[in-house]
Amino acid sequence: MEQYKQEFIEFMVESNVLKFGEFTLKSGRKSPFFMNAGSYVTGTQLRKLGEYYAKAIHDNFGLDFDVLFGPAYKGIPLSVATSMAISELYGKDVRYCSNRKEVKDHGDAGILLGSPIKDGDRVMIIEDVTTSGKSIEETFPIIKAQGNVEIKGLIVSLNRMERGKGTKSALEEIKELYGFPTAAIVSMADVTEHLYNRECGGRVVIDDTIKAALDAYYEQYGAQ
């Protein structure tokens, strides 16, 4: 596993973004882990997060795109931090863009925030995590309505590796439904491999008990 992926896994834990225990998800599933990207709150954390995303985008998709689109609301800081990191790490200037939840009718009017999207633009979508594909369902038509636009792919921070609406993962379902590639900085398999019986922040976060709970969870909900 690449060094930056190992660092990112530890960064999620140390930032209190990735937790292990017993959690009830919106779907009603009882999960032994929970991820909340809203816990990235400092400038240092956002700068690091942008760098991890930038490296993953570079590795999975290259940098042959014009706009980084982050669906509101959590995608807004992700698109800003990552576009800055791409500039700093690779010397490539990409524009950032997000949608508004409510259309603005005065001043900087319209549904988009940041850069406009226009005919011929190649767009990369950035999100924190996707479990059902609902935000893509909402933002895909917004992006496509801006003109003759090519969506180059979707990058998320964590592939939960569990079933979406069917038997495949949400990322696989999005890929099949919309026809663009999807990727994650790391998967839960990467997380488990790196953290099992290993100290992180002075403690073991995936011990034998948590590992057994993860195995049972994926036995029931794991994507095929």
Side-chain angles (χ1 to χ4, degrees):
M1 193 190 316
E2 293 90 332
Q3 182 70 28
Y4 80 87
K5 292 186 177 184
Q6 296 178 32
E7 290 174 5
F8 178 63
I9 291 167
E10 294 176 16
F11 172 66
M12 283 194 291
V13 174
E14 290 163 1
S15 300
N16 218 27
V17 165
L18 182 60
K19 303 177 185 178
F20 297 91
E22 292 183 15
F23 306 93
T24 301
L25 307 179
K26 282 182 185 175
S27 61
R29 294 177 184 175
K30 305 284 187 186
S31 173
F33 68 96
F34 183 70
M35 185 200 162
N36 176 22
S39 293
Y40 295 120
V41 292
T42 70
T44 301
Q45 287 173 333
L46 287 172
R47 181 182 57 76
K48 281 187 174 179
L49 182 61
E51 289 174 358
Y52 292 127
Y53 266 109
K55 289 174 182 177
I57 290 170
H58 176 268
D59 284 4
N60 286 282
F61 301 99
L63 299 174
D64 196 20
F65 63 95
D66 309 293
V67 180
L68 192 57
F69 184 92
Y73 288 101
K74 286 182 181 176
I76 297 173
L78 295 181
S79 62
V80 173
T82 305
S83 60
M84 292 171 70
I86 289 172
S87 172
E88 289 170 5
L89 291 175
Y90 303 108
K92 162 94 176 181
D93 239 358
V94 297
R95 290 139 43 210
Y96 90 91
C97 181
S98 295
N99 62 300
R100 304 178 196 270
K101 290 288 189 179
E102 303 83 20
V103 178
K104 191 176 176 187
D105 59 4
H106 61 281
D108 181 19
I111 198 166
L112 297 184
L113 175 75
S115 170
I117 299 176
K118 58 186 188 302
D119 277 352
D121 275 342
R122 298 158 303 171
V123 179
M124 176 69 58
I125 304 173
I126 183 170
E127 285 207 274
D128 57 344
V129 67
T130 183
T131 48
S132 67
K134 190 172 189 304
S135 70
I136 297 298
E137 198 176 304
E138 294 170 353
T139 57
F140 181 81
I142 293 172
I143 296 171
K144 297 299 278 186
Q146 305 308 310
N148 183 17
V149 174
E150 179 188 2
I151 297 180
K152 298 291 286 187
L154 165 68
I155 184 79
V156 300
S157 60
L158 178 67
N159 180 358
R160 291 182 61 97
M161 297 179 63
E162 60 191 88
R163 296 198 303 270
K165 294 175 181 175
T167 59
K168 296 181 178 177
S169 72
L171 285 179
E172 274 297 314
E173 288 175 352
I174 288 167
K175 180 180 176 182
E176 289 188 359
L177 184 59
Y178 297 102
F180 53 77
T182 58
I185 303 176
V186 293
S187 68
M188 274 307 294
D190 296 329
V191 170
T192 305
E193 175 192 329
H194 183 64
L195 291 181
Y196 180 45
N197 279 341
R198 181 197 300 256
E199 277 199 10
C200 179
R203 62 197 173 95
V204 174
V205 290
I206 300 184
D207 56 14
D208 289 340
T209 303
I210 295 292
K211 176 68 163 58
L214 285 164
D215 290 345
Y217 185 76
Y218 282 105
E219 183 70 31
Q220 185 172 5
Y221 297 117
Q224 295 178 1

